[in-house]
Amino acid sequence: MYKVFTVILLLFIGVSSATRSFNTPSNNLQRLTSDHRDKNVGFDICSTCIDEAVTVLNVLLQAILDEGIYATCGDLCGIVANKTSPFLGKVCDIACDAAGALEFIHLIVKADLDPIWYCEMAKMCEINDHGDAKFTNFGVYPNTGPQGTQFEIDCSFKSLNGTGTSMLRFIMADSHNQTSDNDFLIDAKKPGTYTEKIGLITASAWNCDPVKGLCDDFPIGTYNVTVQFCNGECGSHHPHSSTYDIGKAQFTVTKKK
Ligand SMILES: *[C@@H]1O[C@H](CO)[C@@H](O)[C@H](O)[C@H]1NC(C)=O
Ligand SMILES: *[C@@H]1O[C@H](CO)[C@@H](O)[C@H](O)[C@H]1NC(C)=O
Ligand SMILES: *[C@@H]1O[C@H](CO)[C@@H](O)[C@H](O)[C@H]1NC(C)=O
Ligand SMILES: *[C@@H]1O[C@H](CO)[C@@H](O)[C@H](O)[C@H]1NC(C)=O
């Protein structure tokens, strides 16, 4: 009966990617603050889990499409261990056991697992449900400059209770309201004040790869920048997810002299 149910569900959702993934930042953007991953073993495990989560969730979806419902987490995550690595199989086991096999499969089929939540369920990423954070000096500096300027988006923040595994989502809209989403993973923090800056390089057009060919200039104009700072993944409705703060600012790129 489960198998029939799954097949019906799949007809509705179609075959898609198993997860909303992190939007990889444009190569015009660069996080200027280091989170000392090398010094923080816990966060290293968390970011590895998140880097692999999209692959793992797609392996799981494919396995369910091929075989239907699996009775146990061991059977399902054995596929992951086989197709990726024993470590990722183990991570899958912990997350699956936390949700229960049936619920886990249901979440995958509904394409409703975000990487941070998955890795929190797998106990690979730190959780803080009483966290908070507010930007202290949000803005783009300078806020006008010719093409080629490196603008800095100041996302420094203060937290009274500390933060959970978090995300900075950088959204930029041009004058035609063309937007681009870029996500940065931020490790869980203890209470304190933190410097956090994102550099925006306007030497060439958005996402241009000089190796592949000639790059256009960064279009001149005024841009609106919105940065969301979220506990867990921005927009997620799962536990351990919320919005800490939203910053808005504008900057203008003028013609090169
Ligand atoms: C793992 O792969 C081997 C060889 O491809 C296969 O015989 C075995 O059944 C697989 N195990 C699982 C759990 O899928
Ligand atoms: C900070 O933690 C305290 C104690 O756990 C809690 O009462 C308070 O609501 C938390 N603050 C925020 C902003 O969540
Ligand atoms: C940019 O922000 C300003 C002020 O918040 C707003 O009036 C304008 O409509 C925004 N432009 C776009 C393209 O979103
Ligand atoms: C820009 O687009 C967003 C979503 O696509 C929309 O919510 C917003 O109202 C638009 N802003 C303007 C100024 O058109």
Side-chain angles (χ1 to χ4, degrees), residues 42-223:
F43 184 55
D44 199 35
I45 292 172
C46 171
S47 64
T48 304
C49 178
I50 286 170
D51 286 347
E52 299 296 340
V54 174
T55 308
V56 168
L57 292 170
N58 283 317
V59 167
L60 287 167
L61 179 64
Q62 194 56 52
I64 294 164
L65 289 173
D66 290 347
E67 291 294 326
I69 289 293
Y70 285 78
T72 70
C73 291
D75 292 344
L76 183 56
C77 295
I79 310 270
V80 172
N82 237 4
K83 295 216 163 140
T84 60
S85 72
F87 172 72
L88 294 177
K90 189 75 207 146
V91 171
C92 170
D93 267 323
I94 302 169
C96 179
D97 284 339
L102 206 56
E103 176 63 12
F104 192 62
I105 288 168
H106 186 67
L107 290 168
I108 292 165
V109 171
K110 275 194 352 194
D112 195 22
L113 270 176
D114 63 70
I116 296 182
W117 189 53
Y118 170 78
C119 294
E120 286 177 340
M121 283 204 304
K123 303 188 169 49
M124 299 288 140
C125 290
E126 229 177 287
I127 294 173
N128 179 349
D129 285 331
H130 302 286
D132 67 293
K134 288 280 171 252
F135 292 126
T136 48
N137 189 33
F138 188 84
V140 183
Y141 305 96
N143 78 21
T144 299
Q147 291 162 329
T149 303
Q150 171 163 322
F151 294 91
E152 278 184 23
I153 296 90
D154 190 336
C155 306
S156 298
F157 61 93
K158 182 176 181 174
S159 173
L160 301 176
N161 280 2
T163 60
T165 304
S166 306
M167 174 196 247
L168 276 179
R169 173 163 285 173
F170 173 97
I171 305 159
M172 195 173 91
D174 67 11
S175 53
H176 308 295
N177 204 16
Q178 295 278 10
T179 62
S180 158
D181 287 8
N182 304 264
D183 298 335
F184 297 87
L185 180 68
I186 311 289
D187 58 327
K189 304 274 199 232
K190 298 194 166 56
T193 303
Y194 295 89
T195 301
E196 182 64 60
K197 289 182 180 173
I198 296 170
L200 166 64
I201 300 137
T202 58
S204 60
W206 198 244
N207 262 338
C208 172
D209 180 356
V211 176
K212 292 203 182 126
L214 222 56
C215 294
D216 289 335
D217 290 337
F218 197 96
I220 58 174
T222 296
Y223 295 83

